[in-house]
């Protein structure tokens, strides 16, 4: 459930008409709903009730500081995958003790910055990283709290570009080597082992792969404890999928996911961490765009909108589906009109949808791409010298621009002409 709905014939985010925002901010823009972010976070809180836990929002899905602060105020921790995200979380007011640091390529510089700034734990993904972290922490007179991210060799049955738990993926330490690497970790002076981490992929639409992975984590917890390690925290990653279409998709509910966690791991007495991104932010956001032209092609009509693949790359990168709805509610029984929905970027890949049944639309009409709150703005680029589009946060009847559209001058003046030119 989300808080984007038609009211008085126009699409609203909570109590605000998206067309009012468009009039003030211009198009295209991203718009997020506080109520939806809050509701989705609460679903996970409810799902894990009774277990000691921390929900660490995967900032990679949406890292605007206003979003971060909204979630942090509800008690969220953050999962970061770069020192940039770490600094953003800190800037938004999240204390280090609530930040977990994931990622396969942390540098020594990243490690030092996070150690000095305060960190809940590093999710370590390789032996070289482990040794470097020990050295950096020791040099600072500290011990780095760590989990090892294990690769359980489980098929997440999702898009190949976002599956991370198979042995051929670059992520984690093979589960077959886990005990040996934990033994090495325990002997390193700058390391304090606190638990185990696993993350098998994103947009999972079934619970079975989670179950398979978490069962392996349970077995490993017992084995590692027998080896003398104090395994007190289990980070179970993110990945729960969301419905991208209104009609036929029904991915598992957070409540069922929570029940699965309790069933597979609840008896171990560990603190549970999860790292959901998409389920919290995905359906809490839309991308609003305006029709520039309707162009008749050979046997098809192109709807050329002012958003493009640089603003929302998921359709061209993953073949992802985003529902597209007009801001003006179509009349009941309005005749469908099929369009290829495309952006202005000079690539055929700049196609949002092919042969999409919409209603009749004309120049100047506004549309919203749904489910765009996760992996939307964060993956945007300035390709074709198109400015990053603004982000807006709605809260009841009010809204605020939480990142403005830069001017062309700001964008262009970042280039430096060397003195030999
Ligand atoms: N934790 C780790 C270690 C991750 O790598 C990810 C996502 C998450 C948590 C959050 O997963 P979520 O709950 O959002 O599924 N750009 C792609 C998705 C990439 C996901 C990367 N890792 C897309 O647009 O579908």
């Amino acid at each position: 459930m989300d808080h984007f709905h038609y009211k008085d014939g126009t699409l609203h985010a909570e109590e605000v008409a998206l067309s009012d925002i468009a009039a003030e901010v211009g198009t295209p823009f991203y718009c997020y709903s506080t109520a939806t972010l809050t509701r989705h976070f609460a679903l996970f809180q409810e799902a894990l009730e009774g277990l000691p836990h921390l929900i660490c929002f995967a900032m990679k899905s949406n890292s605007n500081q206003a979003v971060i602060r909204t979630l942090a105020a509800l008690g969220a921790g953050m999962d970061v995958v770069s020192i940039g995200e770490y600094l953003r979380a800190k800037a938004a007011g999240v204390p280090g003790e609530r930040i977990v640091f994931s990622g396969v390529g942390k540098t020594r510089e990243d490690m030092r910055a996070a150690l000095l700034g305060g960190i809940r734990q590093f999710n370590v993904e390789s032996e070289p990283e482990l040794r470097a972290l020990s050295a950096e922490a020791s040099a600072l007179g500290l011990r780095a709290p760590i989990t090892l991210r294990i690769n359980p060799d489980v098929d997440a049955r999702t898009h190949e570009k976002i599956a991370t738990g198979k042995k051929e993926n670059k992520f984690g330490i093979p589960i077959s080597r886990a005990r040996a690497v934990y033994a090495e970790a325990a002997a390193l002076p700058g390391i304090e082992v606190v638990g185990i981490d696993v993350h098998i992929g994103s947009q999972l639409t079934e619970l079975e792969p989670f179950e398979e992975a978490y069962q392996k984590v349970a077995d490993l917890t017992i084995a590692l404890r027998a080896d003398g390690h104090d395994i007190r925290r289990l980070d179970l990653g993110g990945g729960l999928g969301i419905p991208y279409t209104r009609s036929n998709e029904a991915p598992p509910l957070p409540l069922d996911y929570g029940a699965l966690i309790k069933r597979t791991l609840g008896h171990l007495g560990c603190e549970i961490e999860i790292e959901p991104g998409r389920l919290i932010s995905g359906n809490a956001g839309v991308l609003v765009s305006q029709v520039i032209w309707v162009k008749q092609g050979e046997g098809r009509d192109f709807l050329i909108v002012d958003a493009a693949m640089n603003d929302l790359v998921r359709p061209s990168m993953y073949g992802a589906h985003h529902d597209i709805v007009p801001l003006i509610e179509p009349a009941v029984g309005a005749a469908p009109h099929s369009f290829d929905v495309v952006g202005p970027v000079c690539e055929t890949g700049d196609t949002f949808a092919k042969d999409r049944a919409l209603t009749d639309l004309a120049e100047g009409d506004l549309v919203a791409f749904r489910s765009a709150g996760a992996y939307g703005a964060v993956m945007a680029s300035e390709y074709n010298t198109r400015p990053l589009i603004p982000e807006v946060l709605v809260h009841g009847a009010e809204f605020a621009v939480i990142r403005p559209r830069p001017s062309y001058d700001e964008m262009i003046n970042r280039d430096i002409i060397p003195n030999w030119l």
Side-chain angles (χ1 to χ4, degrees), residues 130-145:
L130 181 67
R131 292 171 200 140
L133 182 59
S134 175
E136 294 304 327
S138 301
L140 295 170
L142 298 170
R143 285 177 79 205

Side-chain angles (χ1 to χ4, degrees), residues 58 60 79 162 199 202 238-239 275-278 314 318 375 379:
K60 64 178 78 67
D79 166 47
I162 54 176
H199 169 78
S202 192
E275 302 171 348
R278 191 190 313 262
R314 302 193 68 259
Y318 312 109
Y375 307 109
M379 293 180 79

Side-chain angles (χ1 to χ4, degrees), residues 54 56 75-78 86 89-90 93-101 114-121 145 233 271 273:
L54 183 68
C56 295
M78 297 294 145
Y86 174 85
K90 292 295 284 281
V94 182
E97 313 84 73
R98 281 208 265 149
I99 304 176
V100 302
F101 197 166
L115 283 165
L116 288 171
I119 189 85
R120 180 176 178 83
Q121 93 220 8
R233 197 179 280 173
E271 182 179 15
E273 292 168 350

Side-chain angles (χ1 to χ4, degrees), residues 124-289:
V124 172
E125 301 226 14
S126 67
E127 288 110 310
E129 179 191 340
L130 181 67
R131 292 171 200 140
L133 182 59
S134 175
E136 294 304 327
S138 301
L140 295 170
L142 298 170
R143 285 177 79 205
I146 66 120
T147 70
L148 293 182
R149 176 170 176 180
I150 54 127
N151 183 324
D153 193 24
V154 166
D155 184 356
R157 294 185 231 154
T158 182
H159 191 286
E160 59 162 353
K161 285 190 181 159
I162 54 176
T164 56
K166 289 284 286 172
K167 59 173 183 265
E168 60 266 32
N169 303 133
K170 69 181 174 183
F171 299 96
I173 289 164
I175 193 159
S176 56
R177 280 223 309 281
R179 287 173 80 173
V181 184
Y182 269 96
E184 178 177 358
L188 288 169
I191 295 293
E192 184 197 0
V193 171
V194 299
I196 304 173
D197 172 45
V198 69
H199 169 78
I200 57 173
S202 192
Q203 186 55 16
L204 270 72
T205 53
E206 305 159 279
L207 286 180
E208 287 74 18
F210 286 119
E211 174 138 26
E212 206 185 319
Y214 295 171
Q215 196 52 57
K216 290 188 179 192
V217 170
D219 295 344
L220 184 62
T221 302
I222 292 164
L224 291 175
R225 282 179 171 168
D227 290 346
H229 302 286
D230 180 13
I231 302 298
R232 53 188 184 272
R233 197 179 280 173
L234 301 176
D235 182 335
L236 304 176
L240 198 57
I242 62 169
Y244 275 94
T245 57
R246 301 299 109 181
S247 43
N248 52 5
E249 278 176 87
L253 301 173
L255 208 57
D256 297 329
Y257 174 67
L260 163 68
I261 291 174
K262 288 174 186 168
R263 192 169 68 245
T264 50
L265 300 160
H267 58 289
L268 294 167
C270 288
E271 182 179 15
I272 299 294
E273 292 168 350
I274 55 171
E275 302 171 348
R278 191 190 313 262
L279 199 139
I280 292 177
S281 58
N283 279 322
V286 297
L287 166 56
V288 176
S289 181

